[in-house]
Amino acid sequence: MCDYTAQEVISKVDVGLKLYFEVWDAAIFHGPGNVGYTSVVNDHIRDFSYLADQSRLTEMVEESRRGIAEFLKVPPEKVRLITREEFEAETEDDED
């Protein structure tokens, strides 16, 4: 039997959220016409309600997308959220 309260358990949990993106036309990925892949990790999420709130989660994704676009100097339309499976399929040869 567990003697912890729900709040005590939650205080010991550390959640991370990893987002995967496809990026078109970035210089780092050889410029116009080329595609590359990147990911963003949001560590130390303590407010789990944040993950259940669709509008807050959507804003987190949009902020990440805009940040990647700004960092890679491409328009935000050139950055697309993708699944982990798609990311892994597209980048599996990159680890060699």
Side-chain angles (χ1 to χ4, degrees):
M1 176 165 183
C2 181
D3 292 328
Y4 295 109
T5 66
Q7 194 60 33
E8 288 172 324
V9 171
I10 289 172
S11 73
K12 295 176 182 354
V13 174
D14 186 11
V15 173
L17 178 69
K18 191 168 190 178
L19 303 171
Y20 299 93
F21 294 92
E22 175 182 79
V23 181
W24 283 89
D25 299 340
I28 195 169
F29 300 126
H30 309 291
N34 291 292
V35 64
Y37 299 88
T38 191
S39 61
V40 174
V41 177
N42 296 287
D43 281 335
H44 312 299
I45 297 172
R46 297 277 191 188
D47 180 0
F48 302 115
S49 65
Y50 193 86
L51 298 175
D53 183 332
Q54 182 69 39
S55 63
R56 291 173 72 189
L57 192 55
T58 298
E59 184 56 32
M60 178 192 295
V61 170
E62 284 304 306
E63 284 177 16
S64 296
R65 190 170 77 95
R66 288 190 302 265
I68 290 168
E70 183 178 329
F71 181 74
L72 296 178
K73 297 178 178 41
V74 297
E77 309 80 56
K78 300 288 185 169
V79 180
R80 180 177 72 93
L81 181 68
I82 60 173
T83 66
R84 184 185 78 197
E85 291 79 13
E86 185 176 355
F87 178 87
E88 289 173 350
E90 295 294 341
T91 61
E92 67 184 343
D93 293 337
D94 293 350
E95 295 177 14
D96 295 333

